């Protein structure tokens, strides 16, 4: 079974527009289309497989309970970066809240559905993906030079988490919870 769900923060429209412009440029220049299967977002819990609707219901309950104990925070996006030659992204500035939200969500989900979220040995690195998986070799460096000209510096208040579900060949928002605190 392939991945069926993940959890993320959906960015405001003005920032999403910048990311979509960058995705369009990558598509035009290099043929990259992988980013078009989901709205602009910052992943909190990486994609995972969930087999049945009962599990989804447990997940939604856990997400709702998680939101009761978490407060929003300010996110700053500044410039662009890359993970080697595989991913180009808008850089999300480090904040302790990202690690807290990520860790608490993974624990909340694994408490209701043990081992549902796989252990990722890489450090959690919040980011806004522009392109990944289909970037031609040698395209990352010139792309980063181009995107640097945008002088991206944005802030927004993070106050929600959205559950995405794989449906008909794309990631769709199944539901969203707002932080209560």
């Amino acid at each position: 079974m392939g991945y069926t769900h993940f959890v993320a923060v959906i960015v405001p429209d003005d920032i999403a527009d910048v990311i979509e412009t960058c995705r369009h440029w990558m598509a035009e220049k290099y043929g990259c289309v992988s980013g078009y299967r989901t709205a602009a977002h910052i992943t909190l819990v990486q994609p995972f497989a969930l087999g049945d609707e009962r599990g989804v219901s447990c997940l939604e309950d856990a997400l709702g309970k998680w939101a009761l104990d978490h407060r929003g925070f300010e996110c700053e996006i500044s410039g662009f970066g890359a993970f080697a030659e595989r991913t180009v992204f808008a850089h999300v500035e480090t904040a302790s809240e990202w690690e807290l939200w990520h860790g608490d969500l993974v624990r909340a989900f694994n408490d209701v559905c043990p081992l549902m979220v796989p252990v990722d040995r890489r450090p959690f690195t919040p980011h806004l993906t522009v392109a990944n998986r289909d970037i031609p070799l040698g395209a990352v460096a010139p792309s980063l030079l181009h995107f640097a000209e945008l002088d991206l510096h944005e802030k927004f208040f993070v106050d929600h988490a959205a559950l995405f579900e794989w449906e008909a060949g794309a990631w769709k928002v199944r539901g969203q919870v707002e932080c209560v605190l």
Side-chain angles (χ1 to χ4, degrees), residues 10-178:
I10 300 170
V11 300
D13 289 344
D14 58 333
I15 297 170
D17 290 345
V18 171
I19 299 304
E20 290 306 315
T21 298
C22 294
R23 287 176 175 176
H24 181 73
W25 186 86
M26 290 294 290
E28 290 289 314
K29 183 86 172 164
Y30 298 111
C32 301
V33 295
S34 61
Y36 285 109
R37 288 185 276 185
T38 184
H41 67 278
I42 301 168
T43 301
L44 290 167
V45 178
Q46 73 223 33
F48 54 90
L50 193 59
D52 61 30
E53 195 60 32
R54 190 175 61 242
V56 175
S57 178
C58 288
L59 187 68
E60 289 171 326
D61 290 347
L63 187 59
K65 288 175 185 170
W66 168 89
L68 296 174
D69 294 327
H70 289 79
R71 72 177 72 247
F73 62 95
E74 186 171 82
C75 171
E76 185 174 350
I77 299 166
S78 181
F80 293 84
F83 298 127
E85 288 286 322
R86 71 180 194 283
T87 304
V88 173
F89 58 83
H91 181 259
V92 174
E93 294 293 334
T94 302
S96 61
E97 291 89 352
W98 287 115
E99 191 65 44
L100 176 70
W101 278 32
H102 166 72
D104 287 354
L105 273 168
V106 169
R107 276 186 291 283
F109 292 164
N110 283 332
D111 282 350
V112 296
C113 295
L115 305 175
M116 176 181 63
V117 178
V119 174
D120 192 345
R121 301 203 188 304
R122 299 170 297 183
F124 175 65
T125 307
H127 61 280
L128 267 161
T129 299
V130 171
N132 66 349
R133 292 189 310 276
D134 60 357
I135 302 171
L137 190 60
V140 170
S143 298
L144 292 176
L145 286 173
H146 174 77
F147 294 143
E149 295 173 7
L150 297 176
D151 195 30
L152 178 64
H153 296 283
E154 298 288 342
K155 292 181 181 182
F156 73 98
F157 193 71
V158 176
D159 63 355
H160 71 278
L163 176 62
F164 283 78
E165 186 170 64
W166 184 252
E167 179 184 305
W171 291 105
K172 311 282 188 202
V173 175
R174 179 178 172 112
Q176 181 173 306
V177 295
E178 304 292 324

